[in-house]
Amino acid sequence: MAAESLTLVEAVAEAIHDEMALDESVILLGEDVGRSGGVFRATEGVYDAFGPERVIDTPLSETGIAGAAIGLAASGIRPIAEIQFSGFTYAGLEQLYTRAARLNARSRGQFSCQMVLRAPFGGGVRAPDLHGESMEAIFVHHPGFKVVVPSTPHDAKGLLTASIRDPDPVIFLEPKKIYRAFREEVPEESYAIPIGEAAVRREGSDVSIFTWGSMTRPTLSAAEAVAEDGIDAEVVDLRTLSPMDRETIVESFKKTGRAVVVHEAPRTGGLAGEITALLQEEALFYQKAPIERVTGWDAVYPLYDLEDFQLPNAARIEDAIKAVLDE
Amino acid sequence: MVRFPEEYDDCEQIIAPDGSYDTEAANALELETNELQELYGSMVQARALEKRGLTLQRQGKFHFWMECRGLEAAHVGVAAGLGDRDWMNTEWRQYGAHIQRGRPLEDILLFWLRGYEEWESDTIDEMESYERRMPHIVAVGTQVPQTVGLMWGRKLQGYDEVGLVGVGDGGASKGDFHAGLNFAGVLELPVVFVVFNNQWAISTPVERQTAAETYADRAIGYGFEGTLVDGNDVLAMYRATKRAVERARSGEPMLLEALTYRRGAHSSSDADDYRDDSDREAWRDRDPIERYEAFLLDQGIFDPDDFEAIREAADRRAKEAAERALDIAAEQSPTEVFDEVFANPPTYIDEQREALLELVSEHGEEAFRW
Ligand SMILES: Cc1ncc(C[n+]2csc(CCOP(=O)(O)OP(=O)(O)O)c2C)c(N)n1
Ligand SMILES: [Mg+2]
């Protein structure tokens, strides 16, 4: 099996390229996705390979991009729509909420909304306002969407491939902090990683840590650090947030009886609350200590140097692990 | 201030409010007698359906009704201008447009009873013309860029089809309107945009939506043409739409403004106590059905007895369709709540469906009704 060493952002471009080569109903639209290859180069080379009919630089309008993608999906095309930064998805939310997530239900399956909306997501690149948002919870909350967040190049390619093939609207959130943070061996041929399956990144028996996206790396570092103190932490990368892999989450917790949930998004109303509730419902009697949440603060996303204090880091995660083990 | 077509120099019209008409223009339409009759039948049927819908709403059998009185010519006219393979996306009160395309009446009514829609044909290829639509939108204006995407996709797949999308004078204030027209202009897509300017958005008059004299003028900002049409003249609406559809088929979108007036309330929940009766009276004198009757009489296509018979048949059909729709809606099962929420549903949907079923069997369906 031939493999190549790719960054996460290169893996995104490769998945798009491969699916467009395999299925001519797949097209790409968004702001600056064409000749320039996108502001993060996530669509590099795609325009050269498939030309202006299938790779379209649209006018600057997220309402237009989202609305057109919905109509394209209804027509039988498989659009991949890029929103330049996830914070600008706000401008297209009406289209997504009132239509993309409902088209299949309101037409009783006549028109599915097979589209992918990709957006660079999360903080950590010292960009201006609205460039650091973590808004996964708002999509998870609305029935009808699937929400996917890869944390490695290998997963980015396989999950994006699966997202493009999935018949439901998929919100594909790309952790831009780690777009180029590291390389990984990625199979050259096309492959799909099933939506809805978490990955256990580190097996352990003392505590389960649930996380996703760019938080996976500091979480793994924290797990290694506490290993020196004899704590055996399990790290579960959820990968798909809707539908969540409830089974893997619950099984891991039954094994360890302790949990920490780590996410960048603000604490109140964040998915850590959902995961905690799930554990209460499904595994209360396995619980040995209160569940800890390590999250972004309930702040309007702080910018530039202040970002350092907003994003959970390995130190905070270590503290939380120790806290649940101290009980 | 209420607007009238005759205040504009360039408002397209074939039949004047008094029933006199431009013979040359009418002949140039080359409509067969049966086609002219059909336009009448659709308008009358829309009005009959409304009468029935409102009655049932007052009896508590329907939840809600959006009113269409006075708008029938605009709705029927645009549908008549479309080809069989073309698409039509509307908001919710455009009953006449769907009737003209042959949509079964109970299917129209079922939208108000169940909130979702169903299609007979499995695939787009098999769809009858009345099925060539996306489900109704409720967030006004959102249908505009969606229709643009739809026709972009059909064009990419090699189909020679045009899409017509209707939006209200209120909905046209939204960003979706701008986004949609702008995309269509830039991408040269086969879309006809129709602003149904009925001069009211619930209680907000058109001069609170726009400081411009017309909506048609906006087209210039998107690089294509717009035209203002007397929305109560079914022949003028037909002609303008047909022309726009032909133009759109060659890749040039077009904007139509149908200037009309919503004589009914906004909906069955609207007290309609915010406007002058004199406006309504003035527009009643411009009734689209009566105006067309004058034309049909003069042309010898129908005589007054025919009108009566057509109205009676329309009432009967509306009544029967409502009965069928109510019967169909009565068949709903509680677990339909979960139907088609996802095309590829996660397992927890099954768990929730099971949970609801169990609750219903334990407590009985009555315990849930309120
Ligand atoms: C986005 C959105 N905002 C508000 C409403 C509530 N609403 C329903 S109809 C309506 C007025 C629409 O007026 P117009 O666009 O002129 O269409 P008309 O009702 O006259 O057909 C409003 C405000 C809605 N359905 N969608
Ligand atoms: Mg209106």
XYZ file of all heavy atoms in Angstrom, chain B residues 167-240:
554
model
N -40.884 35.389 -4.725
C -40.575 35.932 -3.398
C -41.471 37.150 -3.197
O -41.899 37.771 -4.167
C -39.062 36.290 -3.298
C -38.663 37.327 -4.323
C -38.675 36.751 -1.891
N -41.774 37.474 -1.951
C -42.680 38.590 -1.676
C -41.969 39.931 -1.627
O -40.738 40.005 -1.616
N -42.761 40.992 -1.571
C -42.188 42.333 -1.423
C -41.434 42.448 -0.102
O -40.467 43.195 0.003
C -43.286 43.399 -1.491
C -44.515 43.003 -0.704
O -45.245 42.102 -1.165
O -44.733 43.550 0.393
N -41.854 41.683 0.899
C -41.128 41.672 2.168
C -39.868 40.835 2.079
O -38.773 41.283 2.428
N -40.010 39.631 1.577
C -38.863 38.726 1.463
C -37.749 39.318 0.614
O -36.564 39.025 0.833
N -38.122 40.176 -0.324
C -37.113 40.778 -1.200
C -36.218 41.767 -0.449
O -35.230 42.249 -0.997
C -37.789 41.467 -2.385
N -36.549 42.059 0.805
C -35.654 42.918 1.599
C -34.481 42.140 2.160
O -33.542 42.728 2.687
C -36.422 43.540 2.777
O -37.393 44.435 2.305
N -34.552 40.823 2.084
C -33.517 40.027 2.726
C -32.256 39.892 1.876
O -32.286 40.021 0.655
C -34.059 38.623 3.037
C -34.973 38.639 4.266
C -35.400 37.257 4.646
C -34.259 36.446 5.188
N -34.466 35.014 4.974
N -31.173 39.589 2.589
C -29.901 39.369 1.908
C -29.960 38.221 0.925
O -29.258 38.232 -0.086
N -30.814 37.241 1.197
C -30.940 36.098 0.281
C -31.300 36.575 -1.122
O -30.873 35.983 -2.101
C -32.086 35.171 0.704
C -31.991 34.755 2.139
O -32.117 35.639 3.000
O -31.798 33.577 2.404
N -32.165 37.581 -1.182
C -32.612 38.084 -2.482
C -31.401 38.590 -3.264
O -31.159 38.200 -4.405
C -33.635 39.208 -2.272
C -34.155 39.799 -3.553
C -35.260 39.240 -4.185
C -33.546 40.905 -4.138
C -35.745 39.783 -5.373
C -34.015 41.443 -5.323
C -35.124 40.881 -5.941
N -30.627 39.412 -2.604
C -29.432 39.959 -3.252
C -28.457 38.842 -3.629
O -27.958 38.793 -4.755
C -28.775 40.963 -2.317
C -27.429 41.404 -2.764
N -27.232 42.097 -3.938
C -26.208 41.215 -2.223
C -25.930 42.323 -4.089
N -25.298 41.798 -3.065
N -28.211 37.942 -2.686
C -27.250 36.865 -2.943
C -27.690 36.044 -4.148
O -26.889 35.717 -5.029
C -27.107 35.973 -1.713
N -28.971 35.721 -4.193
C -29.473 34.865 -5.258
C -29.369 35.525 -6.624
O -28.866 34.929 -7.578
N -29.849 36.766 -6.721
C -29.813 37.433 -8.027
C -28.372 37.684 -8.469
O -28.027 37.551 -9.646
C -30.613 38.741 -7.997
C -32.116 38.567 -8.280
C -32.842 37.966 -7.094
C -32.757 39.863 -8.718
N -27.548 38.023 -7.490
C -26.156 38.292 -7.832
C -25.449 37.032 -8.336
O -24.733 37.066 -9.342
C -25.449 38.862 -6.596
C -24.097 39.436 -6.937
O -23.940 40.114 -7.947
N -23.110 39.133 -6.115
N -25.660 35.919 -7.658
C -25.062 34.658 -8.110
C -25.550 34.321 -9.523
O -24.767 33.929 -10.383
C -25.437 33.501 -7.165
C -24.457 33.239 -6.044
C -24.069 34.251 -5.186
C -23.939 31.966 -5.827
C -23.178 34.017 -4.139
C -23.048 31.711 -4.793
C -22.669 32.737 -3.943
N -26.845 34.457 -9.732
C -27.411 34.064 -11.031
C -26.837 34.914 -12.155
O -26.547 34.417 -13.247
C -28.929 34.177 -10.997
N -26.645 36.208 -11.876
C -26.074 37.090 -12.892
C -24.637 36.700 -13.205
O -24.249 36.550 -14.361
N -23.854 36.513 -12.153
C -22.437 36.198 -12.333
C -22.261 34.842 -13.018
O -21.432 34.677 -13.910
C -21.707 36.210 -10.968
C -20.305 35.635 -11.092
C -21.655 37.627 -10.397
N -23.059 33.872 -12.598
C -22.886 32.511 -13.109
C -23.732 32.236 -14.354
O -23.726 31.133 -14.888
C -23.224 31.489 -12.013
C -22.317 31.533 -10.769
C -22.936 30.768 -9.612
C -20.935 30.972 -11.080
N -24.493 33.234 -14.801
C -25.319 33.121 -16.019
C -26.234 31.910 -15.965
O -26.163 31.003 -16.796
C -24.426 33.081 -17.265
C -23.565 34.333 -17.383
C -22.616 34.309 -18.580
O -22.564 33.285 -19.281
O -21.944 35.324 -18.809
N -27.103 31.914 -14.967
C -27.941 30.738 -14.732
C -29.377 30.946 -15.207
O -29.891 32.072 -15.210
C -27.922 30.397 -13.241
C -26.534 29.991 -12.732
C -26.532 29.794 -11.229
C -26.038 28.727 -13.442
N -30.022 29.860 -15.600
C -31.377 29.940 -16.157
C -32.445 30.090 -15.066
O -33.167 29.153 -14.755
C -31.522 28.609 -16.901
C -30.641 27.658 -16.149
C -29.485 28.479 -15.654
N -32.521 31.271 -14.494
C -33.475 31.493 -13.409
C -34.315 32.731 -13.701
O -33.797 33.757 -14.140
C -32.753 31.676 -12.055
C -33.772 31.800 -10.925
C -31.800 30.513 -11.781
N -35.615 32.607 -13.465
C -36.521 33.751 -13.531
C -36.944 34.080 -12.105
O -37.446 33.215 -11.387
C -37.768 33.426 -14.386
C -38.751 34.600 -14.351
C -37.353 33.087 -15.817
N -36.678 35.301 -11.688
C -37.043 35.749 -10.351
C -38.343 36.546 -10.445
O -38.466 37.421 -11.304
C -35.951 36.652 -9.778
C -34.608 35.965 -9.684
C -33.686 36.052 -10.732
C -34.263 35.241 -8.562
C -32.447 35.419 -10.651
C -33.024 34.602 -8.472
C -32.119 34.691 -9.515
N -39.281 36.237 -9.585
C -40.537 36.978 -9.600
C -40.789 37.558 -8.212
O -40.848 36.816 -7.225
C -41.733 36.075 -9.968
C -43.019 36.910 -10.027
C -41.493 35.366 -11.292
N -40.882 38.875 -8.142
C -41.307 39.497 -6.889
C -42.821 39.661 -6.965
O -43.333 40.395 -7.811
C -40.640 40.870 -6.665
C -41.192 41.514 -5.388
C -39.128 40.721 -6.564
N -43.509 38.929 -6.107
C -44.954 39.115 -5.999
C -45.176 40.297 -5.065
O -45.224 40.138 -3.845
C -45.619 37.850 -5.455
C -45.572 36.686 -6.411
C -44.764 35.588 -6.159
C -46.341 36.687 -7.576
C -44.721 34.517 -7.043
C -46.295 35.616 -8.465
C -45.479 34.527 -8.196
N -45.236 41.475 -5.670
C -45.413 42.674 -4.851
C -46.898 42.862 -4.579
O -47.606 43.528 -5.327
C -44.813 43.882 -5.577
C -45.005 45.161 -4.772
O -45.521 45.122 -3.638
N -44.605 46.282 -5.339
N -47.335 42.265 -3.487
C -48.744 42.400 -3.111
C -48.922 43.544 -2.117
O -49.964 43.699 -1.505
C -49.303 41.070 -2.585
C -48.583 40.602 -1.335
O -47.966 41.385 -0.629
N -48.681 39.319 -1.049
N -47.847 44.318 -1.961
C -47.834 45.589 -1.233
C -47.915 45.472 0.280
O -47.869 46.481 0.980
C -48.898 46.547 -1.770
C -48.834 46.652 -3.287
C -49.495 47.880 -3.834
O -49.337 48.967 -3.290
N -50.233 47.722 -4.906
N -47.998 44.262 0.783
C -48.013 44.077 2.227
C -47.178 42.873 2.633
O -47.190 41.841 1.950
C -49.450 43.887 2.752
C -50.227 45.154 2.644
C -50.971 45.550 1.584
C -50.256 46.222 3.598
N -51.483 46.811 1.804
C -51.063 47.247 3.045
C -49.683 46.421 4.861
C -51.304 48.446 3.725
C -49.937 47.596 5.534
C -50.734 48.599 4.968
N -46.478 43.031 3.725
C -45.805 41.913 4.388
C -46.391 41.911 5.805
O -46.014 42.736 6.632
C -44.301 42.117 4.416
N -47.352 41.066 6.011
C -48.236 41.130 7.179
C -48.741 42.575 7.281
O -49.455 42.997 6.371
C -47.558 40.604 8.468
C -46.917 39.210 8.209
C -48.633 40.457 9.584
C -46.344 38.514 9.434
N -48.317 43.334 8.302
C -48.878 44.686 8.456
C -47.939 45.772 7.946
O -48.184 46.953 8.160
C -49.181 44.941 9.932
O -47.970 45.043 10.646
N -46.857 45.367 7.307
C -45.865 46.340 6.848
C -46.067 46.635 5.367
O -45.998 45.732 4.532
C -44.438 45.800 7.088
O -44.338 45.412 8.448
C -43.399 46.851 6.769
N -46.333 47.899 5.032
C -46.589 48.233 3.625
C -45.298 48.317 2.820
O -44.211 48.468 3.384
C -47.261 49.598 3.711
C -46.731 50.193 4.973
C -46.464 49.062 5.919
N -45.457 48.255 1.524
C -44.291 48.174 0.640
C -43.355 49.364 0.804
O -42.133 49.218 0.706
C -44.731 47.977 -0.836
C -45.574 49.140 -1.329
C -43.533 47.734 -1.737
N -43.885 50.543 1.114
C -42.968 51.695 1.243
C -42.081 51.595 2.480
O -41.131 52.350 2.634
C -43.732 53.020 1.199
C -44.664 53.281 2.355
C -46.097 52.825 2.077
O -46.286 51.956 1.191
O -47.017 53.316 2.756
N -42.393 50.643 3.354
C -41.507 50.349 4.494
C -40.492 49.255 4.150
O -39.654 48.914 4.974
C -42.333 49.904 5.697
C -43.120 51.005 6.322
C -42.341 51.588 7.475
N -42.562 52.998 7.578
C -41.750 53.819 8.256
N -40.684 53.350 8.855
N -42.008 55.098 8.320
N -40.641 48.666 2.977
C -39.664 47.672 2.529
C -38.614 48.296 1.635
O -37.474 47.864 1.603
C -40.341 46.521 1.753
C -41.382 45.759 2.527
C -40.803 44.929 3.660
O -39.590 44.716 3.748
N -41.672 44.468 4.549
N -39.046 49.273 0.869
C -38.130 49.845 -0.118
C -38.506 51.295 -0.402
O -39.686 51.638 -0.429
C -38.145 49.037 -1.437
O -37.335 49.707 -2.401
C -39.549 48.872 -2.002
N -37.481 52.108 -0.611
C -37.721 53.495 -0.995
C -37.760 53.637 -2.514
O -37.959 54.725 -3.030
C -36.629 54.395 -0.416
N -37.560 52.520 -3.212
C -37.558 52.584 -4.673
C -38.981 52.468 -5.210
O -39.865 51.938 -4.545
C -36.703 51.456 -5.237
N -39.172 52.937 -6.425
C -40.511 52.906 -7.009
C -40.911 51.524 -7.476
O -42.092 51.190 -7.517
C -40.588 53.878 -8.196
C -40.841 55.293 -7.735
C -40.991 56.237 -8.905
O -41.427 55.795 -9.988
O -40.655 57.413 -8.717
N -39.918 50.760 -7.881
C -40.240 49.405 -8.325
C -39.174 48.431 -7.825
O -38.057 48.824 -7.479
C -40.273 49.262 -9.872
O -38.923 49.202 -10.358
C -41.025 50.391 -10.541
N -39.549 47.164 -7.830
C -38.577 46.093 -7.603
C -37.896 45.733 -8.912
O -36.749 45.302 -8.929
C -39.275 44.850 -7.029
C -39.662 45.002 -5.571
C -40.890 45.536 -5.209
C -38.790 44.603 -4.570
C -41.248 45.672 -3.883
C -39.132 44.731 -3.227
C -40.363 45.266 -2.883
O -40.700 45.407 -1.571
N -38.638 45.906 -10.004
C -38.099 45.533 -11.320
C -36.799 46.272 -11.609
O -35.868 45.720 -12.197
C -39.131 45.825 -12.403
N -36.715 47.526 -11.135
C -35.512 48.332 -11.385
C -34.253 47.725 -10.783
O -33.142 48.041 -11.191
C -35.686 49.741 -10.798
C -36.677 50.571 -11.590
O -36.952 50.213 -12.753
O -37.180 51.576 -11.039
N -34.418 46.880 -9.795
C -33.230 46.315 -9.150
C -32.392 45.461 -10.109
O -31.204 45.268 -9.878
C -33.637 45.400 -7.994
C -34.280 46.118 -6.843
C -34.489 45.129 -5.714
N -35.218 45.752 -4.619
C -35.464 45.142 -3.465
N -35.055 43.898 -3.279
N -36.127 45.762 -2.510
N -33.037 44.950 -11.146
C -32.342 44.007 -12.035
C -31.059 44.600 -12.591
O -30.057 43.900 -12.737
C -33.267 43.585 -13.176
N -31.091 45.895 -12.840
C -29.908 46.519 -13.461
C -28.670 46.330 -12.586
O -27.556 46.172 -13.085
C -30.173 48.019 -13.768
C -29.094 48.550 -14.705
C -30.267 48.846 -12.500
C -29.369 49.951 -15.209
N -28.885 46.266 -11.294
C -27.770 46.065 -10.368
C -27.159 44.678 -10.445
O -26.091 44.433 -9.879
N -27.843 43.790 -11.116
C -27.323 42.420 -11.246
C -26.896 42.101 -12.672
O -26.544 40.969 -12.980
C -28.379 41.424 -10.758
C -28.771 41.714 -9.331
C -29.998 42.289 -9.017
C -27.867 41.477 -8.300
C -30.318 42.596 -7.703
C -28.179 41.784 -6.986
C -29.409 42.349 -6.693
O -29.715 42.663 -5.401
N -27.026 43.079 -13.536
C -26.550 42.881 -14.901
C -27.551 42.187 -15.798
O -27.196 41.646 -16.839
N -28.820 42.177 -15.403
C -29.806 41.630 -16.333
C -31.054 42.501 -16.332
O -31.058 43.581 -15.743
C -30.100 40.150 -16.063
C -30.378 39.746 -14.633
C -31.652 39.873 -14.082
C -29.367 39.192 -13.843
C -31.908 39.460 -12.786
C -29.625 38.773 -12.533
C -30.892 38.912 -12.000
N -32.086 42.025 -17.016
C -33.254 42.873 -17.209
C -34.372 42.591 -16.232
O -34.552 41.459 -15.790
C -33.808 42.664 -18.629
C -33.311 43.709 -19.583
C -34.122 43.737 -20.866
O -35.375 43.658 -20.800
O -33.490 43.829 -21.924
N -35.114 43.628 -15.948
C -36.293 43.468 -15.119
C -37.481 44.108 -15.800
O -37.314 44.993 -16.640
N -38.671 43.660 -15.456
C -39.856 44.300 -16.019
C -40.982 44.300 -14.997
O -41.077 43.404 -14.158
C -40.292 43.607 -17.333
O -41.360 44.366 -17.918
C -40.786 42.195 -17.094
N -41.784 45.333 -15.086
C -42.917 45.483 -14.181
C -44.185 45.049 -14.916
O -44.417 45.456 -16.051
C -43.031 46.959 -13.773
C -44.184 47.359 -12.869
C -44.054 46.725 -11.490
C -44.230 48.892 -12.741
N -44.983 44.230 -14.261
C -46.168 43.676 -14.912
C -47.379 43.879 -14.006
O -47.267 43.779 -12.781
C -45.985 42.152 -15.165
C -47.126 41.621 -16.026
C -44.646 41.858 -15.810
N -48.510 44.142 -14.637
C -49.766 44.201 -13.891
C -50.070 42.782 -13.395
O -50.436 41.904 -14.176
C -50.876 44.710 -14.817
C -52.212 44.829 -14.083
O -52.397 44.140 -13.047
O -53.067 45.595 -14.560
N -49.928 42.591 -12.119
C -50.070 41.246 -11.555
C -51.503 40.748 -11.519
O -51.737 39.583 -11.203
N -52.444 41.605 -11.852
C -53.833 41.155 -11.868
C -54.321 40.865 -13.283
O -55.509 40.659 -13.506
C -54.742 42.194 -11.193
C -54.608 42.097 -9.682
O -53.614 41.576 -9.181
N -55.604 42.592 -8.951
N -53.394 40.855 -14.194
C -53.704 40.576 -15.599
C -53.018 39.254 -15.961
O -51.803 39.200 -16.162
C -53.172 41.727 -16.452
C -53.352 41.487 -17.944
O -53.778 40.375 -18.348
O -53.043 42.421 -18.707
N -53.810 38.208 -16.004
C -53.207 36.882 -16.175
C -52.484 36.757 -17.516
O -51.449 36.095 -17.611
C -54.270 35.764 -15.976
C -55.287 35.731 -17.118
C -53.612 34.405 -15.802
N -53.007 37.431 -18.545
C -52.349 37.312 -19.851
C -51.010 38.048 -19.871
O -50.036 37.564 -20.443
C -53.275 37.831 -20.958
C -54.564 37.023 -21.184
C -55.351 37.594 -22.375
C -54.275 35.534 -21.404
N -50.971 39.206 -19.219
C -49.701 39.944 -19.164
C -48.669 39.165 -18.355
O -47.483 39.121 -18.701
C -49.922 41.325 -18.560
N -49.123 38.541 -17.293
C -48.205 37.740 -16.474
C -47.678 36.547 -17.270
O -46.502 36.216 -17.216
C -48.906 37.245 -15.196
C -49.076 38.282 -14.106
S -47.533 39.072 -13.564
C -46.558 37.673 -13.019
N -48.581 35.928 -17.999
C -48.174 34.784 -18.827
C -47.134 35.218 -19.861
O -46.081 34.592 -20.017
C -49.404 34.182 -19.516
C -49.053 33.279 -20.670
C -48.585 31.990 -20.448
C -49.168 33.731 -21.986
C -48.232 31.166 -21.516
C -48.819 32.914 -23.052
C -48.354 31.641 -22.817
O -47.993 30.834 -23.863
N -47.438 36.310 -20.539
C -46.541 36.761 -21.611
C -45.154 37.118 -21.058
O -44.126 36.715 -21.596
C -47.142 37.988 -22.320
C -46.266 38.509 -23.451
C -46.875 39.717 -24.127
N -47.002 40.845 -23.206
C -47.587 41.994 -23.506
N -48.131 42.167 -24.705
N -47.654 42.976 -22.625
N -45.145 37.863 -19.968
C -43.855 38.290 -19.401
C -43.046 37.079 -18.925
O -41.822 37.011 -19.104
C -44.093 39.257 -18.245
